[in-house]
């Protein structure tokens, strides 16, 4: 890029005094005599910037986490309370592995686990995708870190380190696409500034995507064949939903190949990597049938079969022409047929709640079911709010992304039209051609970002997959002279030489953006790191302390799934439900949540004893919840599901023979005292022992 700029200066500007022109030519000649040295210098400083960016981001996350939770000054119990919901469950199994007498024994206990959920023996490694915890525990013990660092610091340190690799991979991807590591710096800046929308690391460190997405970013960067293979397989092992994201990637590659915009051999090498990863994942994930019935396997098999037919049919014949014309239809038909056949003959556990949720989300059905309505009320499963787009606009990310996407999309459309008309692709695309859409990697990223963006517009939780892509693509675009040249070709710019202007803008625009971001957001980031935030939950600490001191070791606790996860982590006691999206567990959660409904003491007693629960915990925050959306409170959803709300002419009327259980039980009168005995309470929690012998004394 710098060499092009120098050549352009020689061509455009006339010679000065005698000898000046020859001196300039000699300088340029000397410069071009050392291309290897120039490339090595650019590569060295670019790699240094990429690695430094990743390390600085990891240090930033660690510092912010310390400032937010005062982690180093907390006791172990207080630290563990910072893990909420599903994060608490994942970390609790990491603790169990470290406490086991040997790694083999720890793995056996997890794969035959009957000490977590009452009345259930589960393979926790397979069901909860605990491979990150297995790896972390092995590294902790094998590295001899027991005497150097505490387990919790080692665990979160690995996650923060992976986030550093994530940022480095995005840096390199943008750098490779644009040709300048300035694009990588801008990618990292936008990623950190929009951290609220690019990652969940702030409030859910052990979540599966925080372990998995760094490997996906490395796979997208495509450094080499071996790294792509390893990162694809590791990504699939780390996250149970990874094969759906790989399916979107396969669709992007399929469309790329369908319009002959990339070398088919390279595309099919990626398909082989998918097949290998699926096969190996099936074997090592305890014969995980979900991988066999996944749409990814069906699509890749259909693509490989279509490729075989094309290669074995003589070219130029009628059959070969028909295969080319009907290629997309053939692949889609075979994919759907194969997927249906696999689901018919392969025993698998269907995600019924996921299918029902999609059906209701798309408006194809309505329901009063508590679980479905509760899922619809989850913020991550709703459409993104206006605040999301406002934040991206304030950081200038969204406007530049839209500009880059429009230019690339129109250029890709032109290229596809030329291919349909029979015009071959150029072997090498030069800067002056102004055809950025002829680069295969650009076409792939445009298709992929559109697919991810479409999902993010429906489900806010998908923004954590899409927004990092937005940062990378926007940074690449504003730093790429090819993109500006493509725009100037359309505008037929003649007043200023378009190549020179494209080179200038590709340096000036990101520099201006960088300075503006530095001026506006750097002080905010430094303020975040300097402020000491207070996170302390004394009521929860008191509850966990009471359980560890007073509750029997064999006790089973019932309550909200989120609280049960914390109890499992902090005390190790058995619970009746968990905050996970499993069909059986979701049904349990719905039944346990009835403690906040308008049902009789006898009904609640029967539900709790059916799960062998010994203690019940009522949370005042749920019982007296005053949510921003009235219809999304737990007690409202229960009243609708139980038929305790009657809607007439737009008004809702509550009716039930019984009062709300969580209120009535606090009154300590019959029949509630016959079934339950209060044994502990504080400002937030009320703990009741479930009586084994029912007393009907008034």
């Amino acid at each position: 890029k710098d060499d092009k700029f120098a050549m352009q200066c020689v061509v455009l500007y006339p010679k000065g005094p005698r000898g000046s022109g020859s001196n300039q030519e000699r300088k340029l000649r000397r410069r071009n005599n050392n291309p290897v040295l120039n490339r090595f210098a650019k590569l060295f400083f670019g790699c240094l910037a990429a690695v430094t960016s990743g390390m600085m981001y990891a240090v930033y996350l660690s510092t912010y986490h310390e400032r937010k939770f005062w982690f180093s000054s907390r006791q172990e119990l207080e630290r563990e309370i910072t893990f909420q919901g599903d994060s608490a469950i994942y970390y609790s199994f990491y603790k169990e592995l470290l406490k086991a007498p040997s790694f083999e024994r720890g793995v056996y206990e997890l794969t035959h686990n009957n000490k977590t959920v009452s009345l259930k023996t589960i393979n926790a490694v397979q069901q909860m995708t605990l491979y990150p915890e297995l790896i972390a525990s092995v590294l902790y013990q094998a590295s001899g870190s027991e005497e150097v660092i505490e387990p919790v610091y080692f665990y979160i340190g690995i996650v923060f380190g992976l986030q550093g690799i994530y940022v480095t991979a995005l840096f390199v991807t943008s750098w490779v696409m644009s040709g300048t590591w300035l694009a990588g710096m801008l990618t990292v800046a936008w990623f950190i500034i929009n951290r609220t929308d690019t990652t969940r690391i702030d409030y859910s460190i052990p979540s599966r995507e925080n372990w998995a997405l760094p490997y996906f970013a490395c796979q997208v960067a495509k450094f080499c064949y071996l790294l792509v293979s390893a990162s694809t397989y590791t990504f699939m092992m780390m996250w149970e939903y990874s094969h759906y994201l790989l399916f979107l990637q396969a669709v992007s590659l399929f469309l790329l190949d369908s319009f002959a915009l990339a070398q088919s051999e390279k595309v099919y090498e990626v398909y082989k990597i998918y097949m290998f990863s699926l096969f190996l994942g099936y074997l090592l994930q305890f014969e995980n049938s979900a991988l066999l019935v996944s749409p990814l396997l069906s699509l890749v098999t259909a693509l490989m079969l279509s490729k075989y037919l094309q290669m074995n049919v003589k070219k130029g014949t009628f059959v070969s022409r028909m295969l080319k014309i009907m290629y997309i239809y053939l692949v889609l038909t075979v994919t759907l047929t194969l997927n249906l056949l696999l689901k018919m003959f392969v025993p698998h556990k269907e995600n019924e709640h996921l299918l029902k949720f999609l059906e209701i989300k798309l408006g194809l059905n309505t329901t009063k079911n508590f679980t479905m309505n509760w899922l619809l009320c989850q913020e991550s499963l709703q459409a993104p709010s206006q605040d999301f787009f406002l934040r991206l606009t304030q950081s200038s990310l969204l406007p530049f992304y839209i500009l880059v996407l429009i230019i690339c999309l129109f250029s890709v459309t032109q290229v596809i039209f030329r291919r349909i008309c029979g015009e071959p692709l150029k072997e090498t695309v030069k800067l002056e051609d102004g055809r950025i859409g002829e680069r295969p990697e650009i076409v792939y990223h445009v298709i992929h970002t559109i697919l991810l963006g479409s999902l993010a517009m429906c489900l806010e939780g998908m923004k954590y997959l899409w927004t990092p892509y937005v940062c990378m693509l926007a940074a690449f675009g504003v730093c790429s002279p090819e993109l500006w040249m493509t725009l100037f070709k359309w505008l037929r710019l003649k007043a200023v030489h378009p190549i020179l202007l494209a080179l200038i803008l590709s340096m000036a625009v990101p520099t201006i953006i960088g300075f503006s971001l530095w001026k506006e957001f750097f002080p905010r980031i430094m303020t975040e790191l300097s402020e000491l935030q207070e996170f302390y939950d004394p009521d929860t600490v008191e509850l966990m302390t009471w359980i560890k001191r007073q509750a029997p070791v064999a006790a089973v606790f019932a309550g909200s799934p989120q609280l049960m996860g914390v109890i499992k982590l902090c005390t190790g006691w058995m619970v009746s439900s968990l905050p996970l999206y499993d069909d059986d567990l979701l049904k349990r959660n719905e039944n346990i949540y009835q403690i906040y409904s308008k049902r009789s003491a006898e009904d609640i007693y029967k539900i709790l004893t059916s799960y062998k629960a010994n203690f019940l915990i009522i949370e005042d925050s749920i019982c007296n919840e005053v949510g921003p959306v009235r219809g999304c409170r737990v007690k409202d959803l229960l009243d609708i599901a139980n038929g305790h709300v009657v809607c007439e002419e737009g008004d809702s009327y509550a009716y039930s023979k019984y009062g709300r259980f969580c209120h009535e039980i606090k009154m300590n009168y019959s029949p509630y005292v016959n079934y339950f005995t209060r044994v502990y309470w504080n400002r937030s929690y009320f703990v009741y022992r479930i009586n084994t012998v029912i007393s009907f004394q008034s």
Side-chain angles (χ1 to χ4, degrees):
K1 181 172 168 179
D2 295 336
D3 296 341
K4 292 178 182 177
F5 183 74
M7 286 292 290
Q8 195 61 40
C9 291
V10 173
V11 173
L12 291 178
Y13 292 101
K15 294 182 180 180
R18 184 181 297 273
S20 64
S22 59
N23 288 336
Q24 195 172 15
E25 290 174 2
R26 280 197 297 271
K27 290 179 182 177
L28 181 61
R29 205 176 294 117
R30 284 198 302 269
R31 187 178 174 184
N32 290 333
N33 284 337
N34 298 309
V36 176
L37 184 61
N38 291 337
R39 290 179 181 175
F40 176 78
K42 291 177 184 177
L43 182 64
F44 174 76
F45 286 109
C47 291
L48 182 63
V51 174
T52 302
S53 297
M55 292 176 62
M56 292 297 291
Y57 180 61
V59 171
Y60 164 73
L61 288 177
S62 179
T63 306
Y64 178 75
H65 183 262
E66 173 63 27
R67 292 287 182 176
K68 183 178 181 180
F69 296 111
W70 293 22
F71 221 61
S72 59
S73 60
R74 300 289 190 191
Q75 298 296 322
E76 183 181 8
L77 178 59
E78 296 169 345
R79 291 175 184 172
E80 292 176 348
I81 286 174
T82 63
F83 295 100
Q84 297 290 318
D86 58 347
S87 298
I89 295 299
Y90 296 131
Y91 185 73
S92 71
F93 287 119
Y94 169 71
K95 276 183 57 180
E96 289 186 15
L97 279 168
L98 295 182
K99 290 179 180 178
S102 66
F103 177 74
E104 293 78 8
R105 182 62 187 176
V107 173
Y108 178 82
E109 289 178 355
L110 289 187
T111 54
H112 302 78
N113 185 282
N114 58 1
K115 298 178 181 179
T116 299
V117 184
S118 60
L119 302 179
K120 282 180 71 70
T121 299
I122 60 175
N123 183 342
V125 177
Q126 180 186 26
Q127 189 168 339
M128 303 178 191
T129 319
L130 298 180
Y131 300 99
E133 283 66 36
L134 294 179
I135 295 171
S137 63
V138 168
L139 292 176
Y140 184 73
Q141 293 173 333
S143 61
S145 301
E146 294 94 334
E147 299 179 359
V148 180
I149 187 173
E150 295 180 57
V152 64
Y153 281 109
F154 187 85
Y155 185 86
I156 64 176
I158 292 179
V159 181
F160 290 158
L162 284 173
Q163 296 307 299
I165 294 174
Y166 191 10
V167 164
T168 300
L170 292 173
F171 182 111
V172 172
T173 304
S174 186
W175 172 22
V176 170
M177 290 172 62
S178 63
T180 172
W181 49 268
L182 187 62
M185 298 292 287
L186 189 56
T187 300
V188 174
W190 266 328
F191 184 94
I192 296 174
I193 289 168
N194 295 281
R195 193 181 73 255
T196 305
D197 303 305
T198 56
T199 176
R200 291 206 304 159
I201 194 71
D202 280 2
Y203 56 89
S204 185
I205 292 176
S207 66
R208 302 300 85 177
E209 59 263 39
N210 287 338
W211 286 88
L213 291 180
Y215 296 101
F216 183 69
C218 291
Q219 187 247 34
V220 170
K222 293 180 174 63
F223 299 118
C224 63
Y225 183 85
L226 181 62
L227 182 61
V228 172
S229 303
S231 55
T232 301
Y233 170 71
T234 309
F235 174 60
M236 193 173 292
M237 293 290 288
M238 292 292 175
W239 194 21
E240 65 268 31
Y241 299 116
S242 58
H243 57 86
Y244 291 112
L245 186 54
L246 292 175
F247 171 73
L248 293 180
Q249 189 182 62
V251 170
S252 303
L253 293 172
F254 162 58
L255 294 175
L256 193 68
D257 184 49
S258 299
F259 294 107
L261 299 175
Q263 296 181 16
S264 295
E265 292 76 14
K266 291 185 178 180
V267 173
Y268 278 85
E269 287 297 321
V270 180
Y271 293 157
K272 291 176 184 177
I273 292 174
Y274 290 151
M275 293 292 284
F276 171 77
S277 299
L278 285 167
F279 175 73
L280 195 60
Y282 171 75
L283 293 179
L284 297 183
Q285 291 183 18
F286 305 93
E287 299 183 356
N288 186 2
S289 59
L291 297 179
L292 295 182
V293 299
S294 67
L296 176 63
L297 179 62
S298 301
L299 176 62
V300 173
T301 304
L303 290 167
M304 300 291 280
L305 179 62
S306 302
K307 179 69 173 179
Y308 176 80
L309 291 174
Q310 284 185 335
M311 291 177 63
N312 287 273
V313 173
K314 189 176 180 180
K315 294 183 179 180
T317 62
F318 174 76
V319 176
S320 69
R321 294 195 197 98
M322 288 300 296
L323 281 175
K324 286 185 178 180
I325 295 172
M326 301 182 65
Y327 177 67
I328 295 178
Y329 174 78
L330 175 65
V331 169
L332 294 177
T333 304
V334 174
T335 299
L336 291 173
T337 304
L338 186 60
N339 192 251
L340 290 173
L341 289 174
L342 286 171
K343 288 184 175 180
M344 286 175 60
F345 294 103
V346 175
H348 66 287
K349 192 174 182 181
E350 192 71 70
N351 290 324
E352 295 182 7
H353 72 276
L354 180 61
L355 299 176
K356 290 179 181 178
F357 170 78
L358 292 175
E359 184 180 344
I360 298 167
K361 183 72 177 178
L362 296 173
L364 302 177
N365 200 355
T366 58
T367 184
K368 292 184 177 180
N369 180 267
F370 169 82
T371 300
M372 291 299 105
N373 287 324
W374 181 80
L375 289 173
L376 288 170
C377 285
Q378 298 303 299
E379 185 178 353
S380 61
L381 299 178
Q382 295 180 356
S385 62
Q386 292 182 354
D387 292 340
F388 167 61
F389 299 104
L390 183 62
R391 288 192 297 269
L392 297 188
T393 303
Q394 288 174 340
S395 65
S396 73
L397 174 60
L398 190 59
F400 282 108
Y401 167 74
I402 293 174
L403 172 65
V404 172
L405 183 63
I406 290 174
I407 295 174
C408 291
L409 188 58
F410 274 112
S411 182
V412 169
T413 305
Q414 285 181 332
V415 173
I416 293 174
F417 182 75
R418 293 192 194 103
R419 295 294 295 137
I420 293 174
C421 294
E423 182 180 334
L425 288 174
K426 288 188 175 184
E427 292 185 5
T428 57
V429 181
K430 298 180 180 179
L431 175 61
E432 56 267 21
D433 294 334
R435 292 187 177 184
I436 197 171
E438 288 196 5
R439 291 174 55 185
E441 67 272 23
I442 304 302
V443 183
Y444 161 76
H445 285 297
V446 166
I447 296 173
H448 204 185
T449 191
I450 290 174
L451 293 176
L452 290 176
S454 301
L455 291 175
M457 295 305 102
C458 300
L459 304 171
E460 186 166 358
M462 295 298 295
K463 70 181 181 182
Y464 300 112
L465 304 178
W466 179 62
T467 314
Y469 240 98
V470 171
C471 298
M472 184 269 294
L473 197 64
F476 140 74
V478 297
C479 296
S480 173
E482 291 180 76
L483 182 127
W484 295 110
M485 192 62 199
T486 302
L487 178 62
F488 296 151
K489 275 283 187 179
W490 294 340
L491 299 176
R492 298 181 180 179
L493 191 66
K494 295 180 180 179
V496 182
H497 200 285
I499 296 180
L500 178 62
L501 186 58
L503 290 168
I504 292 174
L505 286 179
S506 65
M507 297 294 291
V509 172
T511 303
I512 294 171
I513 295 172
F515 276 118
S516 64
L517 293 177
W518 178 278
K519 182 179 179 181
E520 183 175 355
F521 292 98
F522 183 73
R524 300 184 189 179
I525 293 175
M526 296 309 296
T527 302
E528 280 184 349
L529 296 180
S530 61
E531 285 184 348
L532 287 173
Q533 303 180 42
E534 178 67 28
F535 178 88
Y536 188 57
D537 189 355
D539 292 342
T540 305
V541 171
E542 291 174 7
L543 173 64
M544 300 304 153
T545 303
W546 180 87
I547 292 174
K548 294 174 75 172
R549 291 177 178 175
Q550 302 295 331
V553 176
V556 177
F557 284 83
S560 72
Q562 288 71 26
L563 180 61
M564 295 301 102
V566 178
I567 288 177
K568 175 58 184 173
L569 168 59
C570 296
T571 69
W573 265 245
M574 192 178 293
V575 294
S576 59
S577 59
L578 292 175
L580 299 171
Y581 292 168
D582 176 84
D583 284 337
D584 182 57
L585 289 176
L586 283 173
K587 184 61 180 177
R588 279 188 173 227
N589 295 346
E590 180 179 348
N591 290 336
I592 300 298
Y593 265 131
Q594 296 296 326
I595 60 179
Y596 300 104
S597 69
K598 297 180 177 180
R599 296 182 64 172
S600 67
E602 183 180 2
D603 287 346
I604 303 299
Y605 180 83
K606 289 180 179 178
I607 291 172
L608 297 176
T609 52
S610 69
Y611 295 118
K612 301 298 181 182
N614 306 116
F615 291 89
L616 165 66
I617 303 178
I618 300 289
E619 295 175 65
D620 203 52
S621 59
I622 300 178
C623 190
N624 298 315
E625 182 180 5
V626 182
V629 183
R630 182 177 175 82
C632 278
R633 297 180 302 182
V634 168
K635 53 188 179 183
D636 295 334
L637 297 175
L638 288 167
D639 290 345
I640 293 171
N642 295 336
H644 296 157
V645 172
V646 180
C647 298
E648 295 180 0
E649 299 179 358
D651 295 326
S652 298
Y653 302 96
Y655 170 76
S656 176
K657 183 178 178 181
Y658 306 98
R660 195 167 302 282
F661 177 83
C662 62
H663 288 154
E664 300 297 321
I665 195 175
K666 296 176 186 176
M667 304 299 180
N668 286 328
Y669 61 80
S670 183
Y672 296 92
V673 293
N674 302 330
Y675 296 100
F676 308 96
T677 302
R678 187 165 66 187
V679 291
Y680 173 81
W681 71 94
N682 59 30
R683 291 176 301 176
S684 301
Y685 304 103
F686 294 80
V687 182
Y688 296 86
R689 185 178 64 247
I690 301 172
N691 298 332
T692 53
V693 178
I694 304 173
S695 171
F696 289 97
Q697 297 178 0
S698 57

